[in-house]
Amino acid sequence: MGIFSKISKGLQKTRLSMAGAIDNVLHGVNEITDEMFDDLEEILVMGDVGVTTATEIIDRLRAKVAKENLRNGKQVRVAIKEIVAELLDGGEQMEMITMPSIVLVIGVNGVGKTTTIGKMAAMYKAQGKKVILGAADTFRAAAIDQLQIWADRAGVDIVKHKEGADPAAVVFDTINAGKARNADIIIIDTAGRLHNKKNLMDELAKIYRVIDRELPWSDRESLLVLDATTGQNAVNQAREFKNVAEITGIVLTKLDGTARGGVVLAIKHDLNVPVKFVGVGEQMDDLQPFNPAAFAEGLFDVAEDPEEEE
Ligand code: GDP
Ligand code: MG
């Protein structure tokens, strides 16, 4: 499946719900009214886009409609899609030039951190990169085992300690194994204990100190994983984590299971954190580098619904 059709399938529920409602408003519209803008704004807010971002989209839409003299629903639909693509654009590239580069993956329990790491490992390996994983979620033995399973599946190395070990020590050992084995990319799994902010902060600070010391010149990404099915809760998590950690990007998982894909807009625009990847399923190849144009296309192109083609 190509990137456009895969993301399109992942966004199917969101499209059917949010874009479907937008289409209902715009269908057969031959005159642009204030009521139309209000209806569209309400749909965006209901679709987890968030009030600030929904208002911004509608403001831009009003300006575009006036400037380009748009007259019917079809033109307005294309305009919304273009505005959404614009809002989502920028910052989605991973900055990983140095050898090694390091990716720290954080987020609360159950959002899909370990799964995402497995998918990323497979993706980079397929690109010919040498990947090494660090099992710094030492809180539960099962978490270490789960990362091991993904490492085996992806065919990459892993560094792990026993349950309860110091996460920063795992990071230290993973970095040194990565250096010794000429790894391109080191990916670190972490525990997600947001309920204890002080603990989390201390632990992350300690991990950052190890990275600062061992890899001072390396490119570093701190990816926050968020579960799209939780809607505005995901936005709140992003806000909280932004206060305690240096987040360079978001991975938004489980888009395939939710109609709340509009949350991407709230995260990118309200919080000003770029989305780097989206998860669209539980399999190894169900991770997509975030592509703003493909995403906007997948969100709005009802006519090209993959299910309808079959
Ligand atoms: P962690 O606690 O953050 O490490 O989360 P896990 O990686 O263990 O994932 C929790 C659950 O979410 C697992 O059952 C995964 O299969 C599932 N999951 C992760 N990413 C996705 C996704 O993109 N789509 C779907 N449908 N499920 C996912
Ligand atoms: Mg995990």
Side-chain angles (χ1 to χ4, degrees):
M1 229 190 277
I3 156 160
F4 276 82
S5 47
K6 190 131 199 175
I7 191 71
S8 176
K9 201 161 173 64
L11 283 170
Q12 194 172 13
K13 286 191 180 166
T14 303
R15 179 171 57 248
L16 290 176
S17 151
M18 188 170 77
I22 287 176
D23 272 357
N24 281 342
V25 169
L26 294 179
H27 186 75
V29 162
N30 287 312
E31 190 193 3
I32 308 299
T33 62
D34 269 346
E35 198 192 344
M36 180 201 79
F37 288 115
D38 291 345
D39 289 347
L40 291 175
E41 186 164 349
E42 195 183 322
I43 291 166
L44 291 172
V45 173
M46 298 292 289
D48 279 286
V49 170
V51 177
T52 318
T53 308
T55 309
E56 171 75 22
I57 292 171
I58 297 303
D59 286 350
R60 288 196 194 194
L61 185 65
R62 281 181 192 273
K64 201 172 170 79
V65 164
K67 184 165 171 246
E68 295 172 14
N69 199 17
L70 308 182
R71 292 164 186 280
N72 61 48
K74 224 172 172 171
Q75 293 171 327
V76 173
R77 174 134 116 43
V78 173
I80 295 176
K81 189 165 81 181
E82 287 169 1
I83 291 165
V84 164
E86 267 168 40
L87 279 185
L88 292 176
D89 197 43
E92 64 273 6
Q93 299 287 348
M94 293 281 277
E95 302 288 339
M96 296 200 303
I97 309 295
T98 61
M99 188 179 160
S101 299
I102 186 159
V103 184
L104 194 62
V105 178
I106 61 183
V108 304
N109 281 337
V111 289
K113 290 182 297 297
T114 306
T115 308
T116 296
I117 290 167
K119 293 169 178 175
M120 278 177 70
M123 186 190 80
Y124 286 123
K125 193 184 178 203
Q127 293 172 11
K129 303 241 160 83
K130 180 154 178 65
V131 179
I132 186 163
L133 308 183
D137 179 357
T138 58
F139 205 56
R140 295 167 303 134
I144 301 171
D145 297 343
Q146 194 195 353
L147 193 69
Q148 176 73 63
I149 290 168
W150 273 107
D152 293 343
R153 239 180 244 167
V156 303
D157 291 353
I158 178 173
V159 170
K160 58 183 184 180
H161 290 187
K162 288 207 180 70
E163 178 182 359
D166 177 7
V170 178
V171 173
F172 178 86
D173 282 354
T174 311
I175 289 173
N176 284 298
K179 285 177 180 171
R181 299 177 207 173
N182 288 322
D184 295 288
I185 299 172
I186 297 165
I187 310 177
I188 306 289
D189 196 9
T190 66
R193 280 173 290 159
L194 189 62
H195 62 266
N196 189 338
K197 237 193 229 171
K198 170 96 172 53
N199 240 345
L200 178 82
M201 250 192 317
D202 290 350
E203 194 166 295
L204 285 177
K206 205 167 159 193
I207 289 174
Y208 284 126
R209 275 200 300 279
V210 169
I211 298 173
D212 283 342
R213 204 173 56 220
E214 301 302 315
L215 292 174
W217 313 113
S218 290
D219 288 333
R220 185 192 310 180
E221 294 271 0
S222 297
L223 299 183
L224 175 64
V225 180
L226 298 171
D227 175 346
T229 63
T230 64
Q232 288 308 302
N233 204 7
V235 181
N236 293 336
Q237 275 171 25
R239 206 168 269 130
E240 287 196 42
F241 268 95
K242 244 186 102 178
N243 290 333
V244 298
E246 24 174 300
I247 309 293
T248 61
I250 302 286
V251 181
L252 194 67
T253 59
K254 311 188 197 181
L255 272 176
D256 52 302
T258 183
R260 312 183 92 167
V263 76
V264 169
L265 282 151
I267 289 164
K268 173 73 169 81
H269 185 257
D270 280 21
L271 295 174
N272 196 24
V273 184
V275 178
K276 304 263 184 181
F277 292 99
V278 290
V280 293
E282 295 184 278
Q283 303 306 312
M284 192 132 77
D285 60 349
D286 287 330
L287 186 76
Q288 294 278 319
F290 184 65
N291 177 321
F295 195 89
E297 198 70 41
L299 210 47
F300 289 107
D301 251 348
V302 178
E304 286 168 31
D305 207 299
E307 292 289 275
E308 286 174 12
E309 280 171 18
E310 281 160 14

